[in-house]
Amino acid sequence: MCNIDPILFPGDEALVNDSLRLLQAAEPLKAEPCVRRDIETHLLRTGTYLWQRVLRDVEYWADIGVRLRSPVIFRESMIRIVGLWNIQSAINKQTLLNTANGVALFDIADKKVQKQTHRKMEIEERLRTFFPRAMLHPPSNDPAAATPGRAFYANDVYYWQALTLVRQYIVKETMAGHGYSAGDGGSMFYNAIGAGGGSYIRAVDLEEWHKKFDMTAKGKQRLRDSLNTVKEEMRSVVAELMISRSNIPRLPGDYPYLTSTEFKDEELPWYTAQTLGINHRAPVGPANSPEKGNDGSLFVAQSPTTPASGGPTGTVPRGSPLSSSPNSGGKNSSETSQGSVKKRKLS
């Protein structure tokens, strides 16, 4: 508020903790716009350490992303929340609801999951009814073109056998609940289809198949080639689910989940018409007196009318994200925020 750079202790853990305490101190003073940019900058400087904290306590950090109006922190948090929405041991929905912006965040995540589930159902139906281009013989508009005869379809016998094997795998996996209804959102199943090659229906599976349907060596090779063609073309069906919109490293031994969730600028909770260049008249009247909150944790349940605690207490309550100290590892490039507010000077 006085254009003085914050004095923060060195070290990743202290830098993150002090930055969050600065946010907590600014909120009851309605001074968040003055410090958001500095806080986000200092947080992103810790790199991998910050992202490990985010992944471990993602419910709190989604709320912090809204309070800071940080697109990068919000997006990374919500991508994980949506990807692991159906795994209770990974996402604590009650903890999310108890944060200051928890109701809005819960609604955003739930709507994203419902939309993705509908799309995954469409993709799985497409997988079950897919035909590779090499098998298609549609009618031609050219009167001189010959109508496909028995010889055309006789040559496709290996494609039909390969397609039968792939469809059998897809139906088996989806009926077993490994698709859209799985706890991981179908991550392992869709990734297998997206990888193609030897990720499913491997050579050992073909050997078992040939115990029922024997072939010559040349026939076996043609079947393998046809199988690779079918699997390669099927990758395009799940391509949109293979997009990764997360730029942070996973935790060691983490749950598998999809990171294709997209949050456009207009989907950010703090998005307003000001983003479109519309100016709003400042309210006329006496300034409101800042409310005084109770001392406590940085992450106590809040409401829009109940600001966070005032000054920092210097101690971190046990059980809050500030008390955890994940191991840092790897290098993560800092991403510039798209919605940070410039520091204002006071004359």
Side-chain angles (χ1 to χ4, degrees):
M1 293 176 62
C2 301
N3 250 12
I4 300 175
D5 290 335
I7 302 174
L8 306 175
F9 287 99
D12 291 342
E13 183 176 4
L15 194 59
V16 171
N17 294 351
D18 284 355
S19 296
L20 295 182
R21 289 192 178 100
L22 180 58
L23 172 64
Q24 183 192 26
E27 285 174 328
L29 301 174
K30 309 298 183 184
E32 304 98 303
C34 301
V35 296
R36 283 188 185 122
R37 183 179 177 184
D38 284 330
I39 292 175
E40 184 189 42
T41 299
H42 282 86
L43 288 175
L44 294 178
R45 284 176 182 171
T46 64
T48 302
Y49 176 81
L50 168 67
W51 299 125
Q52 288 187 338
R53 291 276 294 264
V54 169
L55 295 181
R56 293 183 188 279
D57 297 297
V58 67
E59 301 90 350
Y60 295 108
W61 283 96
D63 175 65
I64 292 171
V66 177
R67 290 156 64 188
L68 282 177
R69 297 193 178 186
S70 169
V72 60
I73 294 178
F74 172 80
R75 285 187 172 114
E76 292 291 355
S77 301
M78 292 301 293
I79 286 173
R80 180 175 177 83
I81 288 175
V82 172
L84 294 172
W85 188 247
N86 293 324
I87 300 182
Q88 296 182 358
S89 56
I91 303 299
N92 191 323
K93 297 178 183 179
Q94 190 58 50
T95 297
L96 180 65
L97 282 170
N98 288 339
T99 61
N101 302 279
V103 175
L105 292 172
F106 188 98
D107 184 61
I108 291 172
D110 191 54
K111 287 181 178 178
K112 280 289 183 181
V113 171
Q114 292 182 23
K115 183 178 179 180
Q116 289 182 1
T117 298
H118 179 73
R119 181 57 184 152
K120 289 173 185 177
M121 293 172 69
E122 294 178 341
I123 289 174
E124 289 182 17
E125 178 62 20
R126 173 67 174 149
L127 288 173
R128 289 189 290 266
T129 58
F130 177 82
F131 290 94
R133 290 186 298 271
M135 293 181 64
L136 301 178
H137 303 297
S140 175
N141 295 326
D142 184 2
T147 302
R150 288 178 295 174
F152 278 87
Y153 293 100
N155 290 329
D156 288 344
V157 63
Y158 294 105
Y159 280 121
W160 283 105
Q161 289 174 330
L163 188 61
T164 300
L165 287 169
V166 173
R167 284 183 176 175
Q168 184 180 24
Y169 168 81
I170 291 170
V171 171
K172 179 182 177 182
E173 289 295 304
T174 53
M175 288 185 67
H178 298 159
Y180 70 88
S181 60
D184 65 351
S187 174
M188 296 182 68
F189 170 64
Y190 299 131
N191 274 289
I193 301 295
S199 58
Y200 65 104
I201 311 181
R202 299 176 293 273
V204 64
D205 300 317
L206 280 180
E207 290 301 323
E208 290 296 319
W209 192 79
H210 285 307
K211 290 179 180 180
K212 299 178 181 179
F213 306 97
D214 196 15
M215 290 182 178
T216 63
K218 183 176 180 180
K220 292 179 179 180
Q221 182 59 49
R222 291 192 63 180
L223 176 60
R224 285 194 294 270
D225 293 341
S226 299
L227 187 60
N228 288 333
T229 299
V230 173
K231 290 196 288 186
E232 182 63 27
E233 291 200 28
M234 273 196 168
R235 295 178 61 189
S236 62
V237 182
V238 298
E240 64 187 84
L241 300 178
M242 298 296 99
I243 300 173
S244 178
R245 292 187 167 88
S246 175
N247 299 305
I248 62 178
R250 298 284 187 92
L251 291 172
D254 199 5
Y255 297 93
Y257 63 97
L258 297 173
T259 56
S260 57
T261 306
E262 181 180 14
F263 288 95
K264 299 179 180 179
D265 288 344
E266 57 268 26
E267 294 179 291
L268 301 176
W270 59 90
Y271 179 84
T272 65
Q274 290 179 349
T275 318
L276 301 177
I278 300 176
N279 296 323
H280 295 272
R281 181 177 298 178
V284 179
N288 295 328
S289 301
E291 302 177 19
K292 183 178 181 181
N294 298 326
D295 293 336
S297 169
L298 288 175
F299 302 104
V300 294
Q302 303 176 50
S303 66
T305 57
T306 306
S309 170
T313 61
T315 60
V316 180
R318 179 171 296 178
S320 74
L322 288 179
S323 63
S324 60
S325 178
N327 295 325
S328 60
K331 184 177 181 181
N332 183 272
S333 58
S334 60
E335 182 175 345
T336 305
S337 170
Q338 302 175 17
S340 57
V341 182
K342 293 183 179 180
K343 185 191 298 183
R344 293 188 287 177
K345 290 187 177 182
L346 299 182
S347 58

